[in-house]
Amino acid sequence: MSNNINYSRRQFLQHSMLGTAAAAFPGLLLAADSGKITRTATPGFTADVEIEFVAQAAQVNIFSSGPATQVQKFIAALRKGPSNTLTQLPGNYLGPILTFQQGQKVRVFFNNKLKEPSIIHWHGLHVPQHSDGHPMYSINTGEQFVYEFEVLNRAGTSFYHSHSHDLTAEQVYRGLAGLIVVNDSDEAKLELPGGEYDLPFVIQDRSFDSQNQLQYLHAMPERIMGFLGSDILVNGKPNAEFAVKSRAYRFRAANGSNSRIYKLGWEDGTPLTAIGTDAGLLAKPETRPYIMLAPGERVDLWLDFSGRKVGSQLMLYSLPFSGVMPGMYDRMHGDGRGMGMMHNRLPQGGKFPIAVFKISEKVSESPKLPEKLVPFLQLTERDVDNAANPLPIAISMQHMKPLLNGKSFAMDRVMDFEKVALGSIKKIKIFHDRDSAGQHAGGMGMMGGMQHGNNEHDGESGDHKMGGMGMGGMGGGMMMEMAHPIHLHGQQYQILSRSTAKVKPKDYATVKDGFIDSGWKDTVLVMPGETVEIVKPFQDYKGLFLYHCHNLEHEDLGMMRQFYIG
Ligand code: C2O
Ligand code: CU
Ligand code: CU
């Protein structure tokens, strides 16, 4: 792998930053011996479930012929707990599916046997800072980190993956990811399709050389646009095929791609029904002509093959859409020819098949789609304490670097307005910072209005430039504007509004019917020109919780910041 040169520098940076972080946030960090933070088991924490995890190099047969593929893989063994906790996927680069029950106490022993740092993040689970896989907890070869958390989440689908800063994109690409299923008693009452009728559907794109080896490109065009592979894999396999009975299924779709966005739709125009979004069941099913799924997002699909003839088949596609990439991109790829290194056999927004479903057996019984699923509190403006001063998440691009709130990620940095009171519910406004001057003024007012006890923690509070000057802010910024899936760690949020006054209507029309905004979310696709307002509770746990673009190349380029909940 081509990252070696930077390890020692990165290690040095991590450790020296951790020293600063430990000083800035005393009590938050655990054992800070020699600047190293690894975590051991807490005697008072009685785990219902104990899992031993290893990240290591492995070889798997992704293709039915030719050489095995060198990957990085999470391997797990159950030490304690119900035997259905781990569903192993033999011969797969994906880690086992983890099945948790709400209320379970979970302890994970994570052992790093890679030749590079790593740490696991449980994307979608609401867990304490020490068990959230913040990159400051990255461990080196041979080290162990112990996670301990209670499963507070409602029933839903989540996704674990490596989260070591600078290495996230490539490690996820090489295999370090897996699905998480949470069950609870409300869900059980619904008698949704279970067992063999409840299936994972992890969608990823990869590129392979002629020897079946993964190719990952570090060149700037790929990094700034996001890496796009030329083969589509479902559950770790190309040319995915599912033999299904003529009845209803639950498919837990997760977009585990680095930067590819999917527009899921049936070849014959049959609408798609969703019963859950990121980490939670909806209050009622939503049926759409197609469903958008950006990196990091999940959607639980109700796919009903009732009435379909044995021997028939149905193709699930990613349907064409436009406007998510910077200006030139769609024009260059529109005719399928493309130019130079930006060309990809499967351009972002192109049409391609994802999986085929073959009706293999007729059955007379099928569960019926419930009219109502699991009700939950709908959060509104009235629930927040900052309706007039939303916390900003400003998206901008400066000198070929995608930024949030005008900044790059720094392990030990929190700006004043990134400090949030524990227990509060906030409105957050995610927007493209086109006009840095205007946003700057607004931002300053808001920041001034935040209550914060002291300033000593934020080395950056004097420097609030958002978007930046000249090329970076205006011309360059707008030309480079693209869609970003914005993910917030910690508790799920709800989407309050989308303001589309500045979007390009023709492009927006190709995606808008595919957004499911009625459920709990932790990742939301923000289109160029779009402003999305969300309501997010900051409850239960103090500490540092990341927010970032889930285009993993962008994340590694520093399009990540953090809230300090205190
Ligand atoms: Cu799935 Cu911080 O990420
Ligand atoms: Cu996450
Ligand atoms: Cu991004």
Side-chain angles (χ1 to χ4, degrees), residues 483-485 549 551 554 559:
H484 301 270
C549 182
N551 176 322
H554 288 183
M559 195 175 183

Side-chain angles (χ1 to χ4, degrees), residues 316-391:
L316 186 74
Y317 273 92
S318 187
L319 300 171
F321 58 93
S322 59
V324 308
M325 299 295 269
M328 289 298 286
Y329 185 91
D330 288 334
R331 260 169 287 151
M332 283 165 47
H333 287 88
D335 60 3
R337 274 184 282 125
M339 288 163 65
M341 35 186 328
M342 314 265 283
H343 180 60
N344 186 293
R345 189 159 68 79
L346 291 184
Q348 182 80 288
K351 182 183 176 183
F352 51 82
I354 294 174
V356 62
F357 296 76
K358 299 190 167 174
I359 320 302
S360 61
E361 191 182 329
K362 188 178 163 60
V363 290
S364 45
E365 297 268 288
S366 175
K368 285 220 352 237
L369 178 66
E371 267 172 45
K372 293 209 168 82
L373 297 162
V374 181
F376 52 81
L377 187 68
Q378 297 285 340
L379 298 172
T380 70
E381 291 238 304
R382 285 187 303 278
D383 298 299
V384 308
D385 59 16
N386 67 334
N389 290 310
L391 300 177

